[in-house]
């Protein structure tokens, strides 16, 4: 593909953790050209002053937000902002012809009533929200290819939904029995200063948070309900673990047929994800480690059965900043633009 054929792309919220991952990936992307970086408190600064290790590749200044300017210069815009901001920008960018990929929660919900019940704020863009497609390619690839607005999933929902989708889609579990126990590294909380994410608070410790009320619960439930064809509630408990990157979700559910074996489920999962190059189903007895996914767009899954309890146990590991956020958004970009889905996406972890 020639240099002139590259599609101009911008990132609003470039200084954050999602932003810098997008920058890193787009600099290596053969079909996209990074032409615009936007921000708030970082506006006016050279991106390389914030992230000097990328200075040899990038000489862009972070600009304050001017939607006219962005739409004139960019064909595709990533919004990597705190929740509650994208909905003030996306409708205008869409009206001006841009394709938009929102990494926040603003466009993950088809019902704004659900969104505002969990996230608060006022919304008047129900029609735009309904036009958005949930950006989990393994489940909604065809719809992503056909939209102008992608609501990219949260990190815990990505790990959890990939773990549970084959079971729900094929009616293999009692849908009211789903329990998700998940652990995340501290980068899940973003780059802004938060006391609980200080090294002295988070190191040498493991604790749950958001118990029975985390905002990813309704997001997981929305997609589970879509897969099952009826309303599904889940029990979801996240934990903060003293590491930087990675999520491990352990999902428990009761099998409708307690005679199903680990080998049966390995076959079912392998078939379900046969066209999904980023989901790796591990052979029996091998359980995923978060570090295997670090820096990649991969999701490692293993499925186990406990014949004593009749439960299935699914383990799912991703990098929260990659498959859980930025690289999944690039995967969606590739689909949206009708490019090869693997363009610009790393598939080898950087740990030994
Ligand atoms: N971290 C993760 O693992 C995941 C995060 N997400 C979601 O992705 C989004 C981005 O997350 P993350 O990168 O972690 O967040 P960060 O806190 O690291 O970054 C937030 C970015 O938003 C910018 N920003 C804040 N307010 C404004 C504003 N008023 N106008 C323009 N820019 C603004 C900041 O710019 P400046 O520095 O210039 O003020 C910064 O670049 C969030 O919605 C998050 O919930 C989704 C999946 C995983
Ligand atoms: C460790 C940590 O704090 N994780 C974040 C994950 C946030 C995320 O994935 O983003 P959205 O808010 O866009 O859904 C949390 O639990 O809120």
């Amino acid at each position: 593909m020639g240099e002139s054929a590259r599609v101009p792309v911008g990132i609003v919220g470039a200084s954050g953790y999602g932003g810098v991952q997008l920058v890193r990936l787009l600099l290596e992307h053969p079909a996209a050209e990074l032409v615009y970086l936007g921000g708030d408190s970082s506006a006016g600064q050279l991106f390389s002053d914030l992230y000097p290790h990328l200075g040899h590749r990038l000489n862009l200044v972070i600009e304050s937000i001017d939607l006219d300017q962005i739409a004139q210069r960019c064909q595709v815009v990533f919004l990597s902002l705190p929740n509650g901001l994208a909905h003030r920008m996306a409708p205008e960018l869409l009206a001006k012809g841009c394709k938009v990929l929102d990494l926040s929660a603003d466009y993950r919900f088809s019902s704004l009533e659900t969104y505002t019940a969990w996230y608060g704020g006022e919304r008047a863009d129900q029609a735009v929200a309904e036009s958005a497609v949930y950006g989990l390619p393994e489940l909604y690839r065809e719809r992503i290819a056909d939209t102008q607005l992608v609501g990219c999933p949260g990190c815990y929902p990505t790990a959890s939904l990939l773990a549970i989708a084959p079971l729900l889609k094929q009616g293999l579990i009692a849908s009211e029995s789903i329990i998700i126990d998940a652990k995340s590294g501290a980068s899940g909380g973003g780059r802004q200063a938060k006391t609980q994410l200080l090294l002295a608070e988070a190191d040498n410790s493991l604790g749950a948070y958001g118990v029975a009320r985390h905002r990813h619960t309704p997001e997981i439930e929305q997609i589970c309900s879509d897969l099952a064809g009826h309303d599904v509630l889940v029990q979801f408990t996240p934990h903060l673990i003293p590491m930087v990157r990675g999520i491990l979700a352990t999902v428990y559910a009761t099998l409708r047929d307690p005679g199903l074996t680990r080998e049966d489920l390995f076959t079912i999962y392998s078939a379900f994800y046969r066209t999904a190059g980023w989901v790796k189903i591990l052979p029996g007895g091998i359980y995923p480690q978060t570090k295997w996914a670090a820096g990649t767009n991969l999701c490692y899954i293993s499925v186990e059965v406990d014949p004593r309890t009749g439960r299935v146990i699914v383990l799912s590991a991703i990098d929260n900043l990659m498959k859980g956020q930025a690289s999944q958004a690039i995967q969606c970009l590739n689909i949206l633009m009708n490019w090869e889905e693997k363009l610009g996406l790393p598939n080898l972890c950087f740990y030994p």
Side-chain angles (χ1 to χ4, degrees):
M1 186 169 310
E3 192 74 16
S4 58
R6 288 175 155 210
V7 166
V9 173
I11 304 169
V12 183
S15 68
Y17 283 162
V20 67
Q21 294 306 310
L22 286 170
V23 167
R24 180 170 78 88
L25 295 167
L26 288 166
L27 285 173
E28 295 285 289
H29 198 292
E33 184 185 5
L34 193 51
V35 298
Y36 168 88
L37 302 178
D40 184 31
S41 60
S42 63
Q45 285 185 267
L46 262 175
F47 184 81
S48 57
D49 284 346
L50 286 178
Y51 293 105
H53 64 290
L54 293 174
H56 63 294
R57 291 292 306 275
L58 188 66
N59 192 27
L60 288 180
V61 172
I62 300 175
E63 301 177 44
S64 53
I65 311 303
D66 175 336
L67 297 177
D68 272 332
Q69 271 286 320
I70 297 172
Q72 269 173 37
R73 287 157 57 187
C74 305
Q75 199 173 322
V76 179
V77 184
F78 291 90
L79 301 176
S80 187
L81 299 165
N83 296 317
L85 292 178
H87 74 88
R88 299 191 207 150
M89 304 179 192
E92 191 174 332
L93 291 170
L94 294 167
K96 292 179 190 296
C98 297
K99 291 183 192 278
V100 176
L101 297 109
D102 174 29
L103 278 63
S104 80
D106 284 22
Y107 289 107
R108 294 177 196 161
F109 295 89
S110 44
S111 153
L112 287 185
E113 212 178 307
T114 309
Y115 174 89
T116 49
W118 288 79
Y119 288 84
E122 302 273 320
R123 296 281 297 265
D125 54 336
Q126 177 65 45
V128 180
E130 277 172 28
S131 76
V133 173
Y134 192 70
L136 194 52
E138 289 73 17
L139 302 183
Y140 299 111
R141 184 173 285 105
E142 285 74 28
R143 292 183 54 202
I144 294 167
D146 206 28
T147 189
Q148 201 187 346
L149 172 61
V150 180
C152 297
C155 47
Y156 287 119
T158 296
S160 307
L161 290 165
L162 290 174
I164 211 155
L167 299 170
L168 272 176
K169 188 85 185 163
Q170 296 176 25
L172 298 176
I173 51 171
S175 57
E176 71 283 1
S177 69
I178 299 168
I179 296 176
I180 303 164
D181 174 288
K183 288 110 191 154
S184 170
S187 61
R191 193 169 189 250
Q192 275 140 22
K194 291 176 186 161
T195 307
Q196 73 274 23
L197 299 181
L198 290 170
L199 181 70
E201 304 283 332
D203 203 14
N204 296 312
S205 192
L206 170 60
Y209 63 101
V211 180
R213 59 184 57 82
H214 193 279
R215 288 166 164 183
H216 285 170
T217 307
E219 183 181 334
I220 297 169
E221 289 177 347
Q222 172 181 260
I223 305 303
C224 283
S225 302
D226 185 41
L227 293 169
H230 57 80
D231 285 351
V232 174
L233 298 181
V234 302
Q235 204 68 66
F236 167 62
T237 308
H239 303 76
L240 180 66
I241 199 148
M243 61 185 188
V244 176
R245 283 168 179 249
I247 284 184
L248 181 69
T250 307
V251 181
Y252 305 85
T254 301
L255 286 168
R256 284 192 193 286
D257 173 2
L260 279 175
T261 64
R262 169 166 99 181
E263 290 70 30
D264 294 333
L265 289 166
F266 175 80
T267 305
I268 289 167
Y269 271 68
S270 301
F272 189 87
Y273 287 120
R274 71 188 174 285
T275 59
W278 300 105
V279 180
K280 301 295 174 201
I281 310 302
L282 296 164
I286 298 179
Y287 307 123
Q289 307 257 333
T290 52
K291 72 176 185 180
W292 297 351
T296 81
N297 192 48
L298 291 166
C299 174
Y300 288 95
I301 289 179
S302 61
V303 197
E304 192 56 89
V305 171
D306 185 344
R308 296 171 318 108
T309 60
R311 289 200 188 95
V312 56
I313 303 136
V314 191
L315 298 112
S316 168
I318 60 168
D319 182 335
N320 57 295
L321 296 179
M322 295 292 285
K323 184 64 177 161
Q325 190 191 28
S327 66
Q328 179 147 262
I330 301 285
Q331 190 184 352
C332 290
L333 167 76
N334 290 341
I335 296 167
L336 203 61
M337 300 305 293
N338 203 17
W339 295 332
E340 242 190 295
E341 198 171 315
K342 64 181 185 196
L343 279 193
L345 291 174
N347 65 4
L348 293 174
C349 85
F350 47 60
Y351 283 113

